[in-house]
Amino acid sequence: MATFTPTVPGQKATAGQGGGGGSAPPRRGGGGDSNRGSGGGSSNYGERLRRARLGLACGLTPILMLFVSFTSAYVVRKGLPTLDATTNQYVHDWLPVNLPWTLLIVNSLVLILSSLTMELARRDITRQAALAPAARIPGVSLGRERHFPWLSITTVLGVAFLVGQWMAWRALADRGFYVANTPSSSFVYLLTGMHAIHLAGGVIALLAAGAIALLHRPLDNRRIVVDVTAWYWHFMALLWIYVFALLALVR
Amino acid sequence: MSTPEIIHAHAAPQGFIRKYVFSLDHKVIGIQYYFLALVAVFVGMFLSLLMRIHLVWPTASIPLFGDIKPETYLTLLTMHGTIMVFFVLTTAPQGGFGNYFLPIQIGAPDMAFPVLNMLSFWTTAVAFVVMLAAFFVEGGAPLHGWTGYAPLSAIPSSGPGEQLGADLWILSIAIFCLGSLMGALNFITTVLDMRAKGMTMMRMPLTCWSWFITAILALLAFGVLLAGGILLLMDRNLGTSFFVPAGLSLTGKMIFPAGGFGGDAHFSHAGGSPLLWQHLFWFFGHPEVYIAILPGMGVASQLLSTFSRKPIYGYKAMVYAMLSIGFLGFMVWGHHMFMSGMSPYTAFAFSIMTMAIGVPSAIKTFNWLGTIYKGRIRFQSPMLFAIGFVSLFVSGGLSGPFLAQPVLDIQLHDTYFVPAHFHLIMGVAAIFGIFAGTYYWFPKMFGRMMNETLAQWHFWFSLIGAYAIFMPMHYLGMAGHPRRYSQLTELQYLAPLLPLQKFITYAAVATIAGQFLFLFNFFWSMFKGPKASDNPWESTTLEWTTSTPPPHDNFGGKVPVVNNGPYEYSVPGAARDFVMQTDPPVGSGH
Amino acid sequence: MWAKSIKGIPDDMGLALLAIIWLITLASTYFFVAKTWWLPVGASAAAPWIDHQFAVTFLLMGFIFVAAQVTLGLFSYQYRDRPGQTSDYSHGNNKLELMWTVLTAILFVGLNLMGSHLWASERFAPAHEGATKVEVTGAQFAWYFRYPGPDGTYGKVNPKDISAEEQNPLGLDASDPAAKDDVVSGVMYLPVNREADITLRAQDVIHSLFIPSMRFKQDAVPGLLIKMHFTPVMTGDYEIACAELCGLGHYKMHGILKVVSPEDFDKWIASKEAEKQ
Ligand code: HEM
Ligand SMILES: [Cu+2]
Ligand SMILES: [Cu+2]
């Protein structure tokens, strides 16, 4: 998908257009935020970055809706008396799950820490990007510069969190709470499992960012991937705190 | 400046695969979506034909298909409804036309994320294949209806087709959700971030507004359906009890904890709530009907204005009406559940909200009539279908206030009155929107004109046919004919309704036959139709400023600058009776 | 100059549209007004009121339907493109828009409020003292009706005891004394002019008890006991249908409601009790 050919046949002629459009005074009533060079897709990564962030914000919405749905199901189901068919009475059959607290708190700390390292990685690459014009000169490779490997650390911490969650599920099973045997444990597995799947997606994005770095693809691309992944990662950390709080407070 | 673009720009691809199969070009993707929907609509129509035949001649045997058993009818019903709603009405107007024309109409070279766009189409295509696969697995396709109410859908032993077929059905819908979510994300970003210079939100064609609002609805609704699908799959395959209550007894086979907690995990269903599924489903399901119809509203607005040679009546009111429909659409899902055992007080609240949502719909109708009033109407085929859309929308909409009153819903719920209502307003009206869009945009998409005479015949067949099929269903419903009945043979009070059912079947056969006029016209014109000019309808929006068909980057390197509102027709003093959006500004642009 | 020059468009297309739209409107309305197919006879106390609300809604919506379709046809014809016809350059009228909004809001919400007391009386309040108690159970694909007997309480049921061979479709728990006098029937008997106090339940999937002549419908949901009531006011036999898709036999899941005089009802219950002994 990525090629070095200019997008539009006519782009050469209007080469200044991306920047020119940006610096021209916005027309009165003109498309608000629309001074983007529509002809060639701007090569200005600031714009691409904003677009990617906007896309991410949209993409987070359904994830939020997913967890909102699970939460409402959880809260409603917890309060719902169910019919005991043998006695014909409504009963409360909700057994609070005995969570492995220590493990979960350690996991939470790991995830919060990873969010911090992720943020450091994001800032790091932003700084590099600011210096990038110099590095654009052919032959100058950024790969040779030494940077603290924040991204790798984040990836490791992310994997550690996932392993920790796996251990938590094992601990739950040891205490007799399986996916299907009590209504409350079903929800615990559901919420934590869904969160883990989404976090695993973040880990894959980090690996992709790493791959881009290894392939010596231009810094812009990597910066956008890292930036967007970072926001996604922070969202996942927040989501985890929310899930954890929900499981701790609504039992 | 030779930075490669991973995010949106890409060169015109070479080679068949990159150009037509895994294309990143929104125009190709739009056409792919359209063809997917075209296949789906003919599959869905064929299923409905079999249903109609079985309903009135239950013992008839279909050549090449064999006997239709009562459970087969329900299988056909389920697949017909699901395919029509998801793979036709959600796919063609949004994925098809939206993909093709949204970027062009706002003056962008492509969607914001072309790779995601391609993924979203292929995800949808995979979902369709998985859906069809349900027909061919052991036990066949599911029979639980397109609404998939639990526990019928949650327990494999509840009927034929509820085994692997039902799993595939849920899986397909889950995959479809992912595809739609990717699409929606792309649409929203594109509208917010890619508009050309001068294209303010309030200068966007109403089609763009409708795709934009539809995308927002999709973004909020499909996540919830996905949640429901995940829970249902868990109930079916992991033995959880989100939707399955305890102590069920199914045709003698007990679904009950063998020994209380910790027993045989697979059957320890413990106190789930069937209503929970209905809430999740309809929280998605009601917005879904607007996802189906909003793009049709957009197309109808655009065409009524264009072919009446008049500005749209009340542009702002139209935008606000669509926004409030979208907003209120999330607060009325309970009107599908008046008889479900939900609290009657909640039902009352939902019914008030539902009546309120009738108001913006009425505003739209009012404005459509206001648009053609004192116009100069050209009856080309797109306009015929736009007028048909308004007629059907009114007819289908007015049965809503019956169903929205819980006390009347006591009698009408789950009778044929409901299929009558939703087929008119969301089925056929939306299909008319698709037809109108097809006749209108075909020249731009394929560079040739469609045949007018065939189109007119197609219109008369479809309009009269749609009314002949679906209007009588109101009468059936009032007489108490429950829906989803595979035969009328068992209840005595249904016997007198058989002639009416037969009439509907004859009408369906004729209407379906009429659709082949369209199919023939479509493919014949694609290759043999007269060449189309750049702006055959003398329209004003941006897609008509570029060549036919548009070049890879839509505007051939020129960047459109927008000076006018989208519907400047018959501007006094202007040289022509239409002022394009890129023409020098006229007095009252929006 | 356009009118004649659009290729392939007959000049009288506007007229054709007017004719067809008006004809469709006429035909649709005719069968409603002639009541060729209409609501079944109403045999419950609430039926006349529900039917009245239906009629009011029908008149209002029917009026809007005819008005909108007639206007659509008329405009299509009158404003067809023809020589000398000019187009009005107008972007709309906010006052009219507002008026229309307020009017429809009042109409729609008002209509709803009009019917709300009926809904309240059907669903908000429970059945009165002295109503005939019936428990209705839906199972694939039959309806069962249980009367609590002289003790007025339903005995326990246990899904494990459900058995076709032992003629125990509900799984009545033989060890529960309250179950001893429970009468289970495949036909629903009700005394006329006395309210029926209905408890709905389902054994397997969702069903819906639909008695068109009683203007009664309510889903029977597994895992829920749902209380409902209605009052039959005419003796006779009425068909019962299932109105919620429940599986392959949904279309044949039907039953009969026999509304009889109170004496006949008591006789029937007594004979059923005698059968049990
Ligand atoms: C050729 C035109 C069509 C015919 C003859 C037709 C016929 C039918 C019939 C007979 C039923 C079953 C009613 C029942 O037994 O309850 C049905 C159900 C349904 N149809 Fe259509 N239909 C047509 C087009 C459409 C379209 C365009 C849509 C798109 C929305 C659609 C959506 C549905 C849905 C959602 C159901 C409900 C399925 C269910 O109950 O689960 N149909 N249709
Ligand atoms: Cu709805
Ligand atoms: Cu049924």
Side-chain angles (χ1 to χ4, degrees):
Chain A
M1 62 195 152
T3 64
F4 287 82
T5 355
T7 323
V8 209
Q11 200 197 21
K12 286 245 162 59
T14 54
Q17 177 254 323
S23 56
R27 285 180 52 89
R28 176 79 197 85
D33 46 358
S34 68
N35 275 337
R36 282 162 261 321
S38 326
S42 56
S43 36
N44 172 348
Y45 73 64
E47 282 171 14
R48 287 168 50 210
L49 180 66
R50 190 187 44 198
R51 185 168 300 159
R53 284 180 180 171
L54 186 59
L56 178 78
C58 293
L60 294 182
T61 316
I63 300 180
L64 201 65
M65 289 308 287
L66 194 68
F67 280 85
V68 166
S69 311
F70 292 148
T71 306
S72 56
Y74 178 72
V75 173
V76 170
R77 175 63 185 84
K78 176 179 177 287
L80 199 71
T82 57
L83 187 67
D84 182 333
T86 47
T87 58
N88 241 349
Q89 302 285 316
Y90 283 111
V91 293
H92 279 277
D93 61 351
W94 185 266
L95 282 182
V97 176
N98 184 2
L99 293 170
W101 293 109
T102 342
L103 188 52
L104 287 181
I105 288 172
V106 171
N107 284 349
S108 308
L109 292 177
V110 168
L111 192 59
I112 290 169
L113 190 65
S114 77
S115 200
L116 283 176
T117 57
M118 185 76 239
E119 182 61 16
L120 290 173
R122 191 182 75 82
R123 299 209 169 162
D124 195 35
I125 200 162
T126 308
R127 206 173 317 112
Q128 283 181 51
L131 304 171
R136 285 267 178 79
I137 303 157
V140 176
S141 165
L142 282 166
R144 254 180 277 125
E145 267 177 74
R146 296 295 297 164
H147 283 282
F148 201 75
W150 292 119
L151 268 189
S152 318
I153 292 178
T154 311
T155 316
V156 170
L157 287 175
V159 172
F161 173 81
L162 290 177
V163 172
Q165 293 293 79
W166 175 258
M167 285 160 62
W169 294 327
R170 298 293 298 271
L172 275 175
D174 287 346
R175 297 170 192 208
F177 292 98
Y178 301 101
V179 177
N181 71 338
T182 76
S184 44
S185 63
S186 300
F187 276 104
V188 171
Y189 281 97
L190 174 75
L191 288 164
T192 54
M194 275 296 152
H195 175 265
I197 288 176
H198 282 93
L199 194 86
V203 171
I204 292 173
L206 284 181
L207 293 176
I212 291 179
L214 286 180
L215 291 174
H216 293 276
R217 285 295 178 81
L219 189 60
D220 283 1
N221 294 348
R222 187 147 59 95
R223 184 194 164 195
I224 290 174
V225 173
V226 169
D227 186 274
V228 167
T229 311
W231 292 117
Y232 180 80
W233 198 267
H234 297 332
F235 179 75
M236 280 302 132
L238 279 178
L239 190 62
W240 168 250
I241 293 171
Y242 165 75
V243 167
F244 193 33
L246 183 71
L247 294 180
L249 299 177
V250 185
R251 308 184 58 216
Chain B
M1 278 286 242
S2 60
T3 327
E5 310 279 344
I6 55 159
I7 300 218
H8 100 251
H10 50 92
Q14 316 298 325
F16 183 80
I17 301 254
R18 291 279 298 277
K19 206 164 170 181
Y20 295 113
V21 182
F22 296 109
S23 171
L24 299 181
D25 184 340
H26 70 102
K27 297 186 286 301
V28 179
I29 297 173
I31 291 177
Q32 287 173 328
Y33 264 115
Y34 189 91
F35 279 122
L36 178 68
L38 198 63
V39 173
V41 79
F42 273 84
V43 173
M45 224 165 56
F46 176 66
L47 300 180
S48 75
L49 185 65
L50 295 181
M51 276 154 70
R52 290 302 324 172
I53 291 173
H54 174 76
L55 196 54
V56 296
W57 297 294
T59 53
S61 178
I62 314 279
L64 300 179
F65 188 89
D67 291 344
I68 301 180
K69 297 194 283 292
E71 57 268 33
T72 323
Y73 177 89
L74 294 178
T75 294
L76 298 170
L77 171 88
T78 306
M79 298 300 269
H80 163 79
T82 315
I83 288 176
M84 287 294 196
V85 171
F86 289 98
F87 295 99
V88 180
L89 296 189
T90 314
T91 301
Q94 183 82 0
F97 292 136
N99 245 312
Y100 198 113
F101 289 105
L102 175 85
I104 311 188
Q105 283 194 334
I106 61 172
D110 202 324
M111 282 284 192
F113 309 108
V115 178
L116 200 65
N117 204 15
M118 175 189 78
L119 281 178
S120 120
F121 167 73
W122 283 106
T123 311
T124 311
V126 167
F128 187 56
V129 172
V130 173
M131 180 63 68
L132 291 183
F135 273 120
F136 302 102
V137 297
E138 171 109 41
L143 50 61
H144 51 226
W146 88 281
T147 50
Y149 276 17
L152 187 62
S153 58
I155 298 172
S157 56
S158 66
E162 290 306 313
Q163 297 83 37
L164 189 52
D167 283 316
L168 289 178
W169 181 87
I170 303 165
L171 194 64
S172 162
I173 287 179
I175 300 173
F176 185 90
C177 287
L178 295 177
S180 296
L181 288 171
M182 290 185 235
L185 178 170
N186 221 338
F187 273 66
I188 296 174
T189 311
T190 306
V191 168
L192 292 180
D193 206 46
M194 309 260 299
R195 279 170 291 123
K197 202 164 162 180
M199 180 61 81
T200 56
M201 291 298 271
M202 280 314 206
R203 275 187 188 161
M204 286 202 304
L206 288 171
T207 40
C208 293
W209 268 108
S210 73
W211 291 318
F212 178 56
I213 297 170
T214 302
I216 296 176
L217 295 190
L219 205 63
L220 295 172
F222 277 109
V224 178
L225 181 65
L226 189 60
I230 291 169
L231 297 185
L232 195 54
L233 277 175
M234 286 176 75
D235 271 5
R236 294 176 55 84
N237 298 302
L238 299 180
T240 54
S241 321
F242 296 112
F243 306 130
V244 187
L248 296 191
S249 151
L250 225 88
T251 43
K253 190 172 149 199
M254 202 74 60
I255 302 193
F256 199 67
F261 291 144
D264 175 9
H266 214 75
F267 277 116
S268 60
H269 282 296
S273 162
L275 293 196
L276 175 59
W277 165 261
Q278 297 183 24
H279 281 293
L280 291 177
F281 183 85
W282 287 117
F283 186 87
F284 145 80
H286 192 85
E288 166 63 27
V289 311
Y290 293 114
I291 290 173
I293 197 67
L294 276 170
M297 292 177 167
V299 170
S301 308
Q302 165 117 357
L303 299 199
L304 289 171
S305 166
T306 302
F307 290 90
S308 303
R309 317 309 294 167
K310 253 193 80 191
I312 188 84
Y313 191 89
Y315 175 92
K316 279 197 184 130
M318 291 300 235
V319 172
Y320 295 141
M322 283 199 278
L323 283 170
S324 46
I325 286 176
F327 179 70
L328 291 172
F330 280 103
M331 291 189 259
V332 298
W333 79 90
H335 63 210
H336 300 271
M337 297 174 62
F338 290 152
M339 301 300 127
S340 68
M342 179 176 75
S343 147
Y345 301 95
T346 320
F348 178 69
F350 275 122
S351 83
I352 295 283
M353 290 311 290
T354 306
M355 286 306 222
I357 211 171
V359 175
S361 308
I363 295 175
K364 302 218 63 127
T365 309
F366 180 72
N367 286 350
W368 287 325
L369 290 175
T371 301
I372 61 174
Y373 172 70
K374 289 198 177 167
R376 204 150 44 77
I377 307 175
R378 299 173 180 172
F379 292 109
Q380 281 136 319
S381 45
M383 182 60 169
L384 294 180
F385 278 93
I387 291 178
F389 174 93
V390 175
S391 171
L392 289 161
F393 184 79
V394 168
S395 304
L398 287 171
S399 49
F402 289 82
L403 296 165
Q405 298 180 61
V407 63
L408 299 186
D409 198 45
I410 295 177
Q411 190 68 9
L412 299 174
H413 174 71
D414 259 340
T415 67
Y416 261 92
F417 202 87
V418 177
H421 164 70
F422 75 70
H423 273 103
L424 283 178
I425 195 161
M426 116 157 159
V428 204
I431 294 272
F432 266 52
I434 298 174
F435 283 143
T438 307
Y439 287 113
Y440 178 64
W441 280 315
F442 186 91
K444 188 53 73 180
M445 293 166 82
F446 298 106
R448 291 171 188 273
M449 305 297 290
M450 287 179 82
N451 181 291
E452 267 298 326
T453 313
L454 279 177
Q456 283 158 17
W457 280 106
H458 174 227
F459 170 70
W460 295 120
F461 258 100
S462 304
L463 183 75
I464 300 172
Y467 273 111
I469 297 172
F470 297 114
M471 201 40 103
M473 288 191 184
H474 293 103
Y475 314 138
L476 292 174
M478 278 159 34
H481 190 330
R483 70 190 272 214
R484 295 169 166 176
Y485 268 32
S486 55
Q487 297 172 16
L488 290 72
T489 47
E490 301 296 319
L491 283 164
Q492 283 164 21
Y493 75 89
L494 297 184
L497 300 174
L498 189 60
L500 196 54
Q501 284 282 27
K502 283 200 171 143
F503 172 80
I504 295 177
T505 296
Y506 296 135
V509 171
T511 312
I512 290 175
Q515 301 317 305
F516 286 92
L517 293 175
F518 172 75
L519 203 63
F520 173 76
N521 194 354
F522 190 89
F523 285 106
W524 186 83
S525 305
M526 218 159 122
F527 300 105
K528 293 276 152 71
K531 281 258 192 293
S533 62
D534 284 353
N535 189 3
W537 316 115
E538 305 192 306
S539 291
T540 51
T541 43
L542 292 187
E543 75 269 34
W544 306 106
T545 60
T546 184
S547 61
T548 282
H552 177 67
D553 73 329
N554 295 341
F555 297 99
K558 297 188 291 282
V559 182
V561 175
V562 174
N563 295 317
N564 293 302
Y567 303 117
E568 294 297 336
Y569 292 99
S570 304
V571 183
R576 301 181 293 190
D577 81 338
F578 62 107
V579 177
M580 314 233 5
Q581 288 199 272
T582 48
D583 285 349
V586 296
S588 78
H590 288 283
Chain C
M1 50 119 168
W2 249 96
K4 290 272 148 41
S5 59
I6 302 180
K7 235 182 78 199
I9 311 287
D11 286 344
D12 33 19
M13 193 52 113
L15 191 62
L17 268 172
L18 173 134
I20 298 288
I21 292 178
W22 282 15
L23 270 177
I24 288 173
T25 309
L26 186 72
S28 310
T29 322
Y30 171 79
F31 289 110
F32 278 110
V33 174
K35 300 197 176 181
T36 318
W37 296 279
W38 196 249
L39 305 168
V41 281
S44 69
W49 303 106
I50 294 181
D51 292 5
H52 176 257
Q53 179 70 13
F54 188 91
V56 172
T57 309
F58 173 72
L59 281 178
L60 287 171
M61 295 304 128
F63 175 77
I64 303 179
F65 170 70
V66 174
Q69 303 286 6
V70 164
T71 312
L72 183 66
L74 194 67
F75 283 4
S76 299
Y77 172 67
Q78 191 168 355
Y79 302 112
R80 67 195 185 280
D81 190 10
R82 57 189 153 155
Q85 173 87 9
T86 54
S87 207
D88 191 26
Y89 180 72
S90 143
H91 285 279
N93 179 330
N94 284 340
K95 254 201 211 121
L96 273 181
E97 209 86 60
L98 194 67
M99 203 175 80
W100 178 249
T101 310
V102 173
L103 273 181
T104 45
I106 293 174
L107 178 74
F108 283 2
V109 177
L111 190 63
N112 202 342
L113 292 178
M114 250 183 77
S116 58
H117 68 279
L118 285 173
W119 177 247
S121 69
E122 290 291 287
R123 306 276 156 141
F124 288 2
H128 297 93
E129 269 306 299
T132 322
K133 281 177 133 186
V134 199
E135 185 199 72
V136 183
T137 304
Q140 285 182 333
F141 299 97
W143 290 111
Y144 300 103
F145 307 95
R146 174 157 73 130
Y147 298 81
D151 67 352
T153 43
Y154 300 112
K156 279 185 190 160
V157 291
N158 191 333
K160 283 179 179 157
D161 296 334
I162 294 174
S163 150
E165 297 90 65
E166 290 165 40
Q167 310 227 323
N168 191 359
L170 298 187
L172 272 186
D173 187 344
S175 64
D176 182 11
K180 291 259 173 345
D181 61 348
D182 287 9
V183 166
V184 179
S185 160
V187 177
M188 186 182 199
Y189 272 79
L190 285 178
V192 71
N193 288 331
R194 199 196 302 161
E195 199 173 17
D197 177 0
I198 295 180
T199 305
L200 276 153
R201 54 191 299 159
Q203 279 181 357
D204 36 36
V205 299
I206 303 177
H207 305 271
S208 187
L209 183 72
F210 180 26
I211 319 177
S213 292
M214 298 296 147
R215 304 288 182 271
F216 182 89
K217 184 181 290 136
Q218 175 58 50
D219 285 6
V221 184
L224 288 181
L225 293 176
I226 297 173
K227 306 282 265 174
M228 281 290 139
H229 54 90
F230 68 88
T231 312
V233 294
M234 264 160 60
T235 55
D237 290 2
Y238 304 98
E239 282 189 285
I240 300 174
C242 175
E244 185 61 74
L245 178 57
C246 55
L248 65 98
H250 173 48
Y251 72 105
K252 57 182 174 191
M253 179 164 167
H254 59 114
I256 288 286
L257 162 63
K258 286 182 182 291
V259 179
V260 295
S261 67
E263 302 77 46
D264 288 350
F265 178 74
D266 292 341
K267 250 187 259 164
W268 175 77
I269 282 279
S271 76
K272 284 296 234 184
E273 292 286 355
E275 250 173 56
K276 278 201 89 173
Q277 304 312 317

